[in-house]
Amino acid sequence: MSRPSPSLTSLVALLNVAIATSGRTLLALALCLTPLSQAEADGHEAHSAAASSQLDAAAEEVVDTAPLGAPLNAPSYSPATREDFPRTLLWGDTHLHTQLSQDAYSFGVTLDADQAYRFAKGGTVIATHGQKARLDRPLDFLVVADHANGMGSMTALVGEDETLLANDRLKEWRRLLIEVGNPKAGLQISLEGRMKGWPDELNDPKIIGPAWAQNVEAAERHNAPGAFTAFIGYEWTSWPGGSNLHRVVIYRDGADKLKGRLPFSSYMSDDPEDLWASLGRYEAETGGRVLAIPHNGNLSNGLLFRPETRDGNPIDANYANRRARWEPLAEVTQIKGDGEAHPFLSPDDEFADYESWDEGNFAGVPKTSDMLEFEYARGALKLGLSLFGELGVNPFRFGMIGSTDSHTALATADENNFFGKHSAGMEPSATRATRPVGKAGDFITMGWQQAASGYAAVWARENTRESIFDAMTRKEVYATTGPRITLRFFGGWGFKDEDANSADVARIGYARGVSMGSDLGDRPRGRVPSFLIAASRDPIGANLDRIQVVKGWLGEGGETFERVHDVMWSNNDPKRRDRRRIRRSGKLDPVGTTVDQAGATYTNEIGAAELITVWRDPDFDPDEAAFYYVRVLEIPTPRWTDYDAAVFGSDVPAEVKDRVNQDRAYSSPIWYSPTQQ
């Protein structure tokens, strides 16, 4: 006996019932139904499209809400859907200058923001002096941070802007730029501007506005959520008496929130508190988000981290709160030297003297040793512990990143692909290492003193402005001097030795502790802090020498201390006779070297591709505030001056001929405070 064929209307009704019950009902129903006859199908032709749409929608609802064989409230099967932590490691440069920066243009650079983004995304560009340039791998994000002061003024001057040509000094500068040309004319202009002051016309909103709009529009064009992030940003360039107080300003937002707004420049005020006030107004008026990143304390002659206001008064809790709020990060390594530590401040740290610039400030005012403690990240972190004890707020609770501060529009920090600080003789050549890179008073900084550094590494959920910015504010970031070393750093009260053997260190780390940039939190009675640390080499770079934990703490009498612990290293197998050991002196055996300086080569015969460990603080005192951060060292590799010599057949300058180069990574700290207990 044949069953009557259901109409399409009744079929949809039955499907709806099935959907409301379970996937199994739908499957059983599908097995029972028979096809329509041709006559019935013809009769329903007018309704077929609508019915098909209803069926598609019903099917989608079944897939989304009632998987076959699972109740509606079943937990998700896919592990990634149950995670609430970042797995995406993104690399970028938060500090790059193009021809719209007054000084970069004076140094001769011809590349604009579009070319800077193209290079960062892995494209080939022609550098200012005609050489092809390309990264070995694209970056994931970039901040074109042209100086707010005089932004676009040099291009406007050469373009015969009437506002600028009304000033006789600027008219003469234009003549120099046209007749003498860059970089000679630009260097003369730059020196005169620093010594005699910059004409006010260079900061006219009619000049700044169009240049700022160019950079904003370029960022919008190149921003591709999920693929590449182009942040909108600029550099606030305060340097009282030649001492560096510069900050890079980065927006979380797009152009829609920046309409009608100009960057806040040090021409408006050279006081960081006024910069913070301007950032606060922006957020209050637009609902947007913004932050600032200080850099180059080593050129501040003791001002950048000194606990004083711009006017020289002691800071208070209000100041400390605002600084911590607006400046969650510090740039600790770049072309103008490394700012993690200094050998004068850390005489027991054999790796503290890395690419040090410590002679004076931009005006050539000599540096004295009492300035150093207020210039370097480690010293500032220690000072922050003291200030927290006094003020109840730590103004120097910052995460650490690196960036280039390149004025060539090329965001490259690789030793074998280094295009220099600027385009006035510092792009690759046989003689750049022995030419002056800059002059300040009686100080001449030579080309060989440049550091091929650095990059910012960010643990984010996705490659978007919002996700990267949020990672920056929670300080889940770290610095490298160029290599793309992968680093995880977690702190807690209960990590076990076997956690280092986990196939998924991140899952264990987030489940049992906190990530870099965080506070340890409440201490269970009798526990000491434990740290889960994992580092792996740059996939196309050098092996790793060791992992170190740098601890700073506040003693009972208010004095701060520090200690560098070697916690994991290569060639540590106790079964090997030649294994590396920590000697009675407290020093770990050197890793050795495979560097052939003449050929600018090395091999990975030494070192380790990956190092993972759980470490516990052997000297923990629950009554002492402390911070911990990780430093990872690569095995020795050739320096950029070695690569120059090999490529151009030139000599390595005597000052760096015997220098051992060990690139590195610095994590953001994890803090412990007794007041949390």
Side-chain angles (χ1 to χ4, degrees), residues 107-168:
F107 293 141
V109 69
T110 60
L111 278 61
D112 61 16
D114 281 313
Q115 291 162 301
Y117 286 122
R118 190 175 304 121
F119 179 81
K121 292 191 290 186
T124 300
V125 302
I126 305 300
T128 292
H129 295 292
Q131 298 183 73
K132 289 183 179 180
R134 184 185 180 114
L135 291 171
D136 54 27
R137 291 156 290 177
L139 293 175
D140 300 300
F141 63 92
L142 179 67
V143 184
V144 170
D146 284 315
H147 296 287
N149 284 43
M151 186 184 293
S153 59
M154 292 294 102
T155 54
L157 180 60
V158 171
E160 298 186 275
D161 183 271
E162 294 181 0
T163 301
L164 301 179
L165 293 181
N167 182 298
D168 290 339

Side-chain angles (χ1 to χ4, degrees), residues 9-206:
T9 302
S10 61
L11 177 58
V12 171
L14 286 168
L15 284 172
N16 286 335
V17 172
I19 292 165
T21 53
S22 73
R24 290 190 182 89
T25 304
L26 177 61
L27 179 61
L29 178 63
L31 293 173
C32 293
L33 295 175
T34 57
L36 294 174
S37 68
Q38 184 62 47
E40 289 173 317
D42 291 343
H44 290 289
E45 184 178 11
H47 303 285
S48 61
S52 176
S53 177
Q54 293 179 53
L55 286 169
D56 289 343
E60 290 177 5
E61 188 174 348
V62 171
V63 171
D64 290 343
T65 63
L68 294 178
L72 287 173
N73 60 351
S76 176
Y77 180 77
S78 299
T81 64
R82 303 191 298 271
E83 294 178 353
D84 187 27
F85 56 83
R87 282 195 181 274
T88 304
L89 179 59
L90 301 173
W91 293 93
D93 185 354
T94 65
H95 190 177
L96 183 72
H97 295 270
T98 74
Q99 65 170 353
L100 290 183
S101 280
Q102 188 172 277
D103 56 349
Y105 185 93
S106 298
F107 293 141
V109 69
T110 60
L111 278 61
D112 61 16
D114 281 313
Q115 291 162 301
Y117 286 122
R118 190 175 304 121
F119 179 81
K121 292 191 290 186
T124 300
V125 302
I126 305 300
T128 292
H129 295 292
Q131 298 183 73
K132 289 183 179 180
R134 184 185 180 114
L135 291 171
D136 54 27
R137 291 156 290 177
L139 293 175
D140 300 300
F141 63 92
L142 179 67
V143 184
V144 170
D146 284 315
H147 296 287
N149 284 43
M151 186 184 293
S153 59
M154 292 294 102
T155 54
L157 180 60
V158 171
E160 298 186 275
D161 183 271
E162 294 181 0
T163 301
L164 301 179
L165 293 181
N167 182 298
D168 290 339
R169 278 183 72 198
L170 294 177
K171 190 180 294 183
E172 172 60 14
W173 285 6
R174 183 180 185 277
R175 185 194 67 78
L176 288 172
L177 290 168
I178 298 299
E179 296 180 9
V180 178
N182 276 328
K184 186 175 181 179
L187 293 172
Q188 181 178 334
I189 290 168
S190 180
L191 180 62
E192 182 183 330
R194 292 201 307 272
M195 296 300 103
K196 297 182 179 180
W198 299 91
D200 291 344
E201 289 86 349
L202 297 175
N203 290 290
D204 190 312
K206 295 177 182 176

Side-chain angles (χ1 to χ4, degrees), residues 316-597:
D316 57 17
N318 179 267
Y319 176 102
N321 264 314
R322 284 180 293 145
R323 180 153 186 166
R325 161 70 174 84
W326 296 112
E327 299 183 3
L329 305 178
E331 179 189 301
V332 300
T333 186
Q334 61 137 279
I335 292 173
K336 298 197 303 294
D338 193 82
E340 181 245 347
H342 189 278
F344 178 82
L345 303 174
S346 305
D348 295 329
D349 182 357
E350 60 188 307
F351 298 102
D353 191 12
Y354 181 75
E355 300 291 357
S356 299
W357 282 36
D358 55 7
E359 292 182 329
N361 69 7
F362 285 120
V365 178
K367 193 180 304 298
T368 55
S369 58
D370 61 301
M371 298 175 179
L372 293 170
E373 66 174 306
F374 307 115
E375 297 191 342
Y376 287 82
R378 192 183 300 175
L381 290 168
K382 289 164 63 178
L383 179 58
L385 298 179
S386 297
L387 292 170
F388 181 79
E390 298 171 16
L391 305 174
V393 184
N394 183 351
F396 305 133
R397 190 183 178 282
F398 53 76
M400 296 194 281
I401 63 166
S403 282
T404 65
D405 193 12
S406 167
H407 283 54
T408 64
L410 303 174
T412 174
D414 297 320
E415 301 284 353
N416 66 351
N417 193 25
F418 181 53
F419 271 72
K421 168 65 179 176
H422 55 65
S423 298
M426 290 301 112
E427 293 189 4
S429 73
T431 58
R432 64 170 172 166
T434 54
R435 292 177 181 171
V437 68
K439 185 177 185 296
D442 295 330
F443 296 122
I444 296 176
T445 302
M446 300 302 294
W448 59 263
Q449 292 178 266
Q450 299 171 100
S453 188
Y455 280 143
V458 175
W459 284 108
R461 288 175 170 82
E462 58 185 356
N463 191 348
T464 63
R465 286 171 174 166
E466 297 80 7
S467 187
I468 297 172
F469 185 98
D470 293 348
M472 290 178 174
T473 59
R474 67 176 183 267
K475 308 176 186 66
E476 201 163 359
V477 300
Y478 61 95
T480 83
T481 57
R484 303 193 192 186
I485 298 167
T486 298
L487 174 60
R488 286 287 200 180
F489 178 40
F490 299 98
W493 302 103
F495 285 116
K496 304 173 183 178
D497 291 343
E498 53 265 33
D499 291 337
N501 298 321
S502 171
D504 192 345
V505 168
R507 186 181 298 278
I508 295 292
Y510 286 108
R512 297 184 181 170
V514 297
S515 66
M516 62 178 80
S518 304
D519 290 300
L520 272 174
D522 294 340
R523 169 179 170 262
R525 185 178 297 276
R527 295 289 185 90
V528 300
S530 54
F531 300 90
L532 176 60
I533 312 164
S536 56
R537 76 174 201 193
D538 183 325
I540 59 172
N543 272 349
L544 305 181
D545 168 4
R546 68 186 76 188
I547 294 175
Q548 299 178 307
V549 172
V550 179
K551 177 188 177 182
W553 71 96
L554 182 65
E556 184 178 354
E559 186 179 359
T560 58
F561 303 89
E562 67 177 68
R563 183 168 297 153
V564 180
H565 297 267
D566 291 303
V567 302
M568 178 56 72
W569 53 91
S570 63
N571 190 13
N572 63 357
D573 186 346
K575 297 178 182 179
R576 292 181 55 169
R577 290 186 177 181
D578 63 343
R579 71 183 183 275
R580 299 167 66 198
R581 301 177 177 88
I582 295 179
R583 301 298 177 175
R584 290 183 180 178
S585 64
K587 302 298 183 185
L588 174 65
D589 291 334
V591 70
T593 183
T594 65
V595 172
D596 172 14
Q597 190 178 46

Side-chain angles (χ1 to χ4, degrees), residues 205 209 212-213 216 254-263 282 285-286:
W212 174 237
V216 170
D256 57 316
K257 285 186 167 60
L258 290 162
K259 289 179 181 177
R261 294 180 177 274
L262 294 178
Y282 168 80
E285 294 169 5
T286 68

